[in-house]
Amino acid sequence: MHSTIMGTQEEGNVHHIPIVPLGDRALLVDWGGSIARHTHEKIRTFCVKLERAAISGIIELIPSYTTVTIVYDPMELRDSATGERCYRYDGQLTDSPFELLKGIIEGMLCSMEVVMESSSADCVNSNISTSATNARNATNAATIVDIPVCYGGAFGPDLLEVAEHTGLSPQEVIALHCGQSYLVYMVGFAPGFPYLGGMDERIAVPRRSSPRTAITPGSVGIGGSQTGIYPLATPGGWQLIGRTPRQLFRPHHVDPSLLKMGDIVRFYPIEPEQFAEWKEDEQ
């Protein structure tokens, strides 16, 4: 069983966002399509809205490029009107906890579509910023995080290989890598690992044919048309071009992950001496 509502997946003249159960304790909201910034903005707005709603029974939100997985405790889901644990929503009996939560999510998604459509129409018809537009912009305000990177040598053992593959000099690879502002589409694979969009295609390279069994934390890599930072000593097959002294995963912090979905990352080069100083300050 699954449900669709107005959204982004086109079928004829109707747009749909499927909501599909994943077992008895999770569901998937799927915007579909490919990696795109406008899809990311919708997913981020939805996650913020759902977190602010503080719905009893929701345990975790897991956003990706085009989907959000919602993990929940079926015994803790409550009717939004009465606050009681039951399988009733808006006075109607539903089939399961999935149906109850699905109804809540459908209402949120529909309200999001109305706000986005009215905001767009208002902006087209007048150059005046509406309250709905301001609210959406406030929700999607990005945090800019500057990441220092020591490129090449022992810090970036694959930099020369990347330069050779792209036909660029190592200095040109570094300049292109530092010349972009990167959107954090999601955090995954390992705690604190950011999937960054916006890399210059001129430095895109294939992953290594033989992955490393352990990568030094802080290593900055390129895999295909993406770049990312390894927060922990994990296996990995991306081409390593540098390393940052900043800790991306701090298990004892209130926010363990330095980067969050929606942040903007900017890289800048540093020398080995500066790397050592940064490392001392991070301790």
Side-chain angles (χ1 to χ4, degrees):
M1 175 189 301
H2 72 276
S3 172
T4 60
I5 70 165
M6 289 187 64
T8 57
Q9 291 194 5
E10 187 169 356
E11 296 179 8
N13 293 325
V14 181
H15 293 228
H16 296 288
I17 298 177
I19 302 174
V20 183
L22 298 178
D24 62 352
R25 291 176 176 267
L27 59 78
L28 184 78
V29 185
D30 186 2
W31 277 260
S34 58
I35 300 172
R37 187 159 190 147
H38 66 86
T39 301
H40 165 81
E41 293 294 343
K42 291 182 178 181
I43 289 175
R44 187 174 172 221
T45 299
F46 170 72
C47 288
V48 170
K49 189 177 181 69
L50 195 56
E51 286 173 349
R52 288 177 179 172
I55 298 168
S56 176
I58 290 183
I59 297 171
E60 185 179 11
L61 306 181
I62 308 172
S64 70
Y65 285 119
T66 60
T67 67
V68 176
T69 297
I70 302 173
V71 181
Y72 61 90
D73 182 343
M75 302 307 295
E76 291 297 324
L77 287 176
R78 295 173 182 268
D79 186 286
S80 59
T82 66
E84 297 178 358
R85 292 190 184 96
C86 64
Y87 300 149
R88 186 179 295 273
Y89 181 69
D90 284 344
Q92 298 298 316
L93 202 64
T94 60
D95 297 329
S96 65
F98 163 72
E99 293 289 342
L100 172 63
L101 185 54
K102 180 194 72 177
I104 296 171
I105 292 169
E106 284 179 340
M108 288 188 171
L109 289 171
C110 285
S111 68
M112 281 174 53
E113 289 299 318
V114 169
V115 168
M116 289 179 179
E117 289 175 7
S118 65
S119 297
S120 298
D122 288 340
C123 288
V124 168
N125 296 329
S126 69
N127 290 322
I128 300 172
S129 179
T130 66
S131 59
T133 302
N134 290 337
R136 185 162 58 123
N137 289 342
T139 297
N140 294 338
T143 298
I144 298 174
V145 183
D146 292 322
I147 302 290
V149 179
C150 192
Y151 288 94
F155 297 96
D158 299 326
L159 177 60
L160 294 179
E161 187 175 334
V162 170
E164 182 178 354
H165 184 276
T166 58
L168 301 168
S169 69
Q171 291 73 24
E172 288 173 324
V173 172
I174 294 169
L176 290 172
H177 192 257
C178 292
Q180 303 293 111
S181 292
Y182 299 90
L183 173 64
V184 179
Y185 274 94
M186 62 179 182
V187 176
F189 165 65
F193 185 100
Y195 284 85
L196 306 176
M199 191 183 74
D200 193 306
E201 289 291 336
R202 286 175 289 179
I203 56 174
V205 290
R207 291 167 172 79
R208 292 174 57 84
S209 57
S210 178
R212 294 179 171 91
T213 57
I215 292 178
T216 304
S219 293
V220 177
I222 295 175
S225 60
Q226 297 181 100
T227 187
I229 312 168
Y230 287 87
L232 303 173
T234 60
W238 289 22
Q239 307 282 358
L240 306 183
I241 61 172
R243 193 186 313 158
T244 179
R246 297 204 67 175
Q247 290 183 325
L248 269 73
F249 182 64
R250 302 88 39 97
H252 302 299
H253 283 231
V254 175
D255 293 320
S257 179
L258 174 66
L259 300 173
K260 298 180 289 297
M261 177 182 66
D263 286 351
I264 298 296
V265 171
R266 301 184 303 195
F267 295 108
Y268 66 93
I270 59 172
E271 298 298 325
E273 296 78 12
Q274 295 170 293
F275 183 97
E277 293 173 3
W278 262 95
K279 204 69 175 174
E280 277 187 26
D281 294 338
E282 287 279 308
Q283 301 301 324

